[in-house]
Amino acid sequence: MSGRRGRRPGRSDTRSDILSAARDAFAEHGYDRATVRDIATRAGVDAAMVHHWFGTKERLFQAAVDVPFDPQELLLDGAPDDVARLGEHVVRTLLRAWDSPRGRVALALLRSATSSERAARMLREFVLARVVRPTVARSEPDPHRAAWRGALMASQLAGLVVVRYVLRVEPLAGAPAETVVGAVGPTIQGYLTGPLPGAVDEDARSAGNVEISTERHVAP
Amino acid sequence: MSGRRGRRPGRSDTRSDILSAARDAFAEHGYDRATVRDIATRAGVDAAMVHHWFGTKERLFQAAVDVPFDPQELLLDGAPDDVARLGEHVVRTLLRAWDSPRGRVALALLRSATSSERAARMLREFVLARVVRPTVARSEPDPHRAAWRGALMASQLAGLVVVRYVLRVEPLAGAPAETVVGAVGPTIQGYLTGPLPGAVDEDARSAGNVEISTERHVAP
């Protein structure tokens, strides 16, 4: 009730115009390459207006995809200095978020992401930029190997979410969080700091060949 | 054209009635507990009619969920006698199916499974019964540990599919299949034959307590 008092008519249209433009921009360019300036232009407003309504690009993204929490904040909160314990910390943090009431909101977001191509791309860009890359950066300096470690970690985490929360496969669905941390933590640890197969480095060399690289990365 | 000649009007309604009843039964009871007799009753036909149209329960399920191939057949085709190489075989088989044109049909099925609760339950039951359990049975005799190994394997395989084919995260999306086999195969192998954390066996003991077990396995 009192929240409506300060708003003039038309303002909430501006806000929803900005959100709509942001969804387009994030889906088209990804989280990293989308700019507040471009989003403002699409929405037909000044960039200052975007900052006024949403503060940072991160907050704008969270509003655009309706993320109920900042995953990076959760991830780095209490992260161990010891890189050898990073794997179990990542799994524990993921489960804490998904086991909470906020997990239900995240589940709805995930469902929309798998049924819509645009939502899938937004989710991917956000998770990569705000969860995967900052985590991998703690242990892997080489960019090519970091990309591999990030994608592999994402595959195990995504699958854990799907099997525990979407498909509800037992005993993973009903097990206490710490049991799951003990079972999946070592896999994440291995992807973050363990050996990668030789073919991954071969792949880095062939990625230097622009033709192969382009052909490979074009979506069907 | 010639396929229509032998059909009398009304028969194709029977077929679609059976498929509809099968979808209900599989979603409600799961693949293992659903019976052809029950499906026939739901469809208002004789069980012999179901066998006439679809042969086995497996074929009926495949028709009901429109699965374009039998995953178990793919999985066991060329499976190594050496259990130590089972992990990479599972990943290689999964990628061969998804990288083929049939993968596009499977992708559509997966999308419907994450957006619909009923489709999700059907998919889960099918994958568990026809892919996960037969694979795990090759290396793990203990039922409780087999359930854990199966769920963990399913989590990595599901996540690989999501990240490579749905979200298309690079470099996993564009990498050659054998590079992915080298990177993910050891994880699957670990889940199939490696050590499980002690908490998994603790979990088995507490599952003997019916009250805890019931509470844990009830869906919200």
Side-chain angles (χ1 to χ4, degrees):
Chain A
M1 300 287 271
S2 64
R4 295 181 66 185
R5 204 181 291 161
R7 290 184 194 170
R8 290 208 307 266
R11 283 225 168 177
S12 61
D13 285 347
T14 302
R15 189 175 185 278
S16 70
D17 286 351
I18 294 170
L19 284 176
S20 176
R23 292 190 190 102
D24 288 339
F26 286 128
E28 206 167 302
H29 301 299
Y31 179 81
D32 285 336
R33 286 184 299 132
T35 64
V36 169
R37 184 176 300 270
D38 173 44
I39 290 164
T41 304
R42 285 168 188 256
V45 303
D46 199 80
M49 181 69 86
V50 177
H51 287 297
H52 169 75
W53 276 99
F54 297 97
T56 62
K57 185 168 92 170
E58 286 159 33
R59 295 233 180 99
L60 173 58
F61 188 98
Q62 285 170 41
V65 298
D66 199 21
V67 172
F69 50 86
D70 182 340
Q72 191 177 39
E73 196 176 283
L74 285 173
L75 203 63
L76 299 181
D77 181 41
D81 290 333
D82 183 5
V83 167
R85 290 182 49 230
L86 199 53
E88 65 183 42
H89 173 75
V90 168
V91 178
R92 187 176 291 118
T93 305
L94 180 89
L95 296 180
R96 197 189 305 145
W98 280 85
D99 285 339
S100 78
R102 294 172 304 190
R104 291 176 194 235
V105 183
L107 191 58
L109 178 65
L110 185 73
R111 286 190 196 280
S112 76
T114 46
S115 57
S116 145
E117 188 76 21
R118 184 162 160 271
R121 293 177 63 186
M122 285 180 64
L123 182 68
R124 174 187 67 194
E125 292 304 320
F126 184 59
V127 171
L128 287 176
R130 299 287 297 154
V131 182
V132 172
R133 287 184 203 127
T135 305
V136 174
R138 295 170 68 101
S139 63
E140 177 61 67
D142 177 77
H144 176 75
R145 294 171 71 88
W148 264 100
R149 291 188 188 284
L152 289 167
M153 177 176 80
S155 78
Q156 176 60 87
L157 295 179
L160 177 58
V161 166
V162 165
V163 163
R164 182 171 164 100
Y165 302 100
V166 180
L167 299 181
R168 298 194 57 79
V169 174
E170 295 297 352
L172 257 181
E178 281 306 307
T179 306
V180 180
V181 168
V184 177
T187 300
I188 301 298
Q189 188 67 43
Y191 288 151
L192 285 172
T193 59
L196 289 170
V200 162
D201 293 317
E202 292 286 332
D203 180 58
R205 276 200 291 278
S206 70
N209 179 327
V210 176
E211 269 185 35
I212 292 177
S213 169
T214 305
E215 199 179 339
R216 269 199 201 149
H217 291 73
V218 165
Chain B
M1 300 286 272
S2 65
R4 293 180 67 184
R5 204 181 292 159
R7 288 185 194 169
R8 291 208 308 265
R11 284 225 169 178
S12 62
D13 286 346
T14 303
R15 189 176 186 277
S16 71
D17 285 350
I18 294 171
L19 283 176
S20 176
R23 291 190 189 103
D24 288 340
F26 287 128
E28 205 167 301
H29 301 298
Y31 178 82
D32 285 336
R33 285 184 299 131
T35 64
V36 168
R37 183 176 301 271
D38 174 44
I39 290 164
T41 305
R42 286 169 189 255
V45 300
D46 199 79
M49 182 70 86
V50 176
H51 287 296
H52 168 75
W53 276 99
F54 296 98
T56 63
K57 185 168 91 169
E58 286 158 33
R59 294 233 180 100
L60 173 58
F61 188 97
Q62 285 171 41
V65 298
D66 199 20
V67 172
F69 50 87
D70 181 341
Q72 190 177 39
E73 195 175 284
L74 284 173
L75 203 64
L76 299 181
D77 181 40
D81 290 333
D82 183 4
V83 166
R85 289 180 50 229
L86 200 53
E88 64 183 44
H89 174 74
V90 168
V91 178
R92 187 175 292 120
T93 304
L94 181 89
L95 297 180
R96 197 189 305 146
W98 280 87
D99 285 338
S100 78
R102 294 172 304 191
R104 290 176 195 234
V105 183
L107 192 59
L109 178 65
L110 185 73
R111 285 190 197 281
S112 77
T114 46
S115 57
S116 146
E117 189 76 23
R118 183 163 162 272
R121 292 177 63 188
M122 285 181 65
L123 182 68
R124 175 188 65 194
E125 292 304 320
F126 184 58
V127 170
L128 287 176
R130 300 286 297 152
V131 182
V132 172
R133 287 183 204 127
T135 305
V136 175
R138 295 171 67 101
S139 62
E140 177 61 67
D142 177 77
H144 176 76
R145 295 170 71 88
W148 266 101
R149 292 188 188 283
L152 290 167
M153 177 175 80
S155 77
Q156 176 60 89
L157 295 179
L160 177 57
V161 166
V162 166
V163 163
R164 182 171 164 100
Y165 301 100
V166 181
L167 298 182
R168 297 194 58 79
V169 174
E170 295 297 354
L172 257 181
E178 280 306 306
T179 306
V180 180
V181 168
V184 178
T187 300
I188 301 298
Q189 189 65 43
Y191 287 151
L192 284 172
T193 60
L196 290 170
V200 162
D201 293 318
E202 291 287 331
D203 180 57
R205 276 199 290 278
S206 69
N209 179 327
V210 175
E211 269 185 34
I212 291 178
S213 169
T214 305
E215 199 178 338
R216 269 198 198 150
H217 290 73
V218 166

